[in-house]
Amino acid sequence: MLKYLSVLLYPFSLLYGLVMWIRNKLYDSRLLTAVEFDIPTIAAGNLSVGGTGKTPHVEYLIRLLKAHFQVATLSRGYNRRTSGYILADEHTTAAEIGDEPMQFHEKFPDVHVSVGEERMLAIPQLLMDEPGTQVVLLDDAFQHRSIKPGMNIMITEYNRRFTKDHVVPFGRLREGRQGYTRANCIIVSKCPPNLSLAEKQAIEKEINPLPHQQVFFTTLQYGAMYDLITHEPVQLAADTTVLLACGIARPEPLLEKLRSSFDQVFLLPFPDHYYYSEKDIAKIKKELDDLPGKNKIVVTTEKDAVRLHLLKKTLIEQNLHMAVMPVEIAFLFGAQETFNNFIFDYVGSYYPATNQ
């Protein structure tokens, strides 16, 4: 049945792909204007719909650059309960700017975090509000052609590479595969940590990068868990029963990580970018209580944590302890320094006197 449904969706994919092809051609021919800025702008995004691990890559860029430059981020603020341009401050919540920008704001208080649907208007406003800004990181802006970033980083997931995908709704691509030609570099994310050199070379051949493009490979690295409310470290024994409650596009890598560390792991999924309610908290608690074992805990992601913070009072009242599992990326094949220099060469071209 699903196979036949997919066949029925294919004509719609062709139509949508044609619309996106025409749109891109209009920008490429400059019949539609893309705005450029005289400040380093780095866009990190993907061709597909969610789940490529974009957020930890943006965080990597923040960590890399903020020690040398005043960094700001600009996101659309997906699924937030507000609209328009907002610059985060000490009173901002995930409901106002979205979960991923809120995650940046909480983890990097020295970075200016902003949201705005119309990026070509939001960037000038951001620079007006924070005139000391030296680098702007554009979160999920690969398809936002009304601005022309100085650098485009395209992320594609190892298990769902754009080279083997199709345009929505038949596949998961937001535009045709040829969109990859706009990228300055391509990152294959969520790779197995033991990815072989032979497979790396095969994937590079499959991607067929242009002469100006570099291809990098990254894997996920999970950090030490901490309490959602207190932020104190959480130490768990191997016989702990774990309930993974999360609303992210692809929970499988985290689920696999937990199952490699704990004997009993159960998944309670929610939609991506989901805003939890008090009923959901009660549901999570009941699910946990019904699980076997004496030592039990709920584990969630950092992205979920900033949304769950909106119900901090309820979590405390329910006496529901939740552990947060942070995640970062690591470059494979010793390519970290090459990538860092690639970024610094671009940003440093604007500030030649800066010493990294």
Side-chain angles (χ1 to χ4, degrees), residues 84-150:
Y85 168 83
I86 296 176
L87 179 65
D89 60 27
E90 65 271 18
H91 305 295
T92 302
T93 68
E96 295 172 301
I97 63 173
D99 51 9
E100 291 169 357
M102 191 65 197
Q103 185 174 319
F104 302 152
H105 184 49
E106 286 190 349
K107 295 179 77 170
F108 309 104
D110 53 343
V111 167
H112 307 307
V113 175
S114 63
V115 295
E117 300 91 342
E118 298 295 332
R119 291 175 174 88
M120 63 185 297
L121 301 177
I123 291 178
Q125 184 63 57
L126 170 62
L127 298 179
M128 187 180 299
D129 290 344
E130 299 295 344
T133 299
Q134 295 176 293
V135 185
V136 178
L137 300 179
L138 302 170
D139 179 29
D140 200 16
F142 196 75
Q143 276 78 35
H144 200 92
R145 299 290 310 267
S146 64
I147 58 172
K148 185 178 180 181

Side-chain angles (χ1 to χ4, degrees), residues 5 31 33 72 132 176 258 297:
L5 181 59
L31 292 174
T33 304
L258 291 170
I297 195 166

Side-chain angles (χ1 to χ4, degrees), residues 105-278:
H105 184 49
E106 286 190 349
K107 295 179 77 170
F108 309 104
D110 53 343
V111 167
H112 307 307
V113 175
S114 63
V115 295
E117 300 91 342
E118 298 295 332
R119 291 175 174 88
M120 63 185 297
L121 301 177
I123 291 178
Q125 184 63 57
L126 170 62
L127 298 179
M128 187 180 299
D129 290 344
E130 299 295 344
T133 299
Q134 295 176 293
V135 185
V136 178
L137 300 179
L138 302 170
D139 179 29
D140 200 16
F142 196 75
Q143 276 78 35
H144 200 92
R145 299 290 310 267
S146 64
I147 58 172
K148 185 178 180 181
M151 175 175 286
N152 252 322
I153 298 175
M154 196 196 90
I155 304 165
T156 185
E157 187 183 354
Y158 168 80
N159 281 323
R160 295 184 174 184
R161 296 190 291 274
F162 75 95
T163 50
K164 299 178 179 295
D165 208 343
H166 301 273
V167 175
V168 294
F170 184 73
R172 300 176 68 253
L173 298 183
R174 305 179 192 181
E175 61 175 287
R177 299 172 189 171
Q178 281 301 110
Y180 90 97
T181 59
R182 297 198 304 276
N184 298 95
C185 83
I186 299 161
I187 296 177
V188 183
S189 67
K190 298 185 180 181
C191 295
N194 59 347
L195 183 72
S196 69
L197 180 60
E199 187 173 6
K200 168 186 178 289
Q201 293 170 341
I203 293 173
E204 287 175 332
K205 184 177 180 180
E206 175 187 302
I207 291 174
N208 190 27
L210 301 177
H212 72 277
Q213 294 177 321
Q214 295 194 48
V215 180
F216 297 93
F217 296 78
T218 63
T219 189
L220 296 179
Q221 285 189 338
Y222 292 96
M225 285 188 274
Y226 59 88
D227 187 271
L228 188 148
I229 302 297
T230 67
H231 283 244
E232 293 294 321
V234 173
Q235 301 290 338
L236 301 176
D239 64 351
T240 303
T241 298
V242 173
L243 176 64
L244 175 58
C246 61
I248 57 175
R250 294 268 291 142
E252 290 84 1
L254 178 52
L255 191 63
E256 182 179 338
K257 166 63 178 176
L258 291 170
R259 284 176 174 163
S260 71
S261 303
F262 302 99
D263 297 335
Q264 295 193 86
V265 179
F266 301 86
L267 175 64
L268 179 58
F270 291 88
D272 195 17
H273 300 283
Y274 182 74
Y275 282 97
Y276 297 90
S277 66
E278 292 186 358

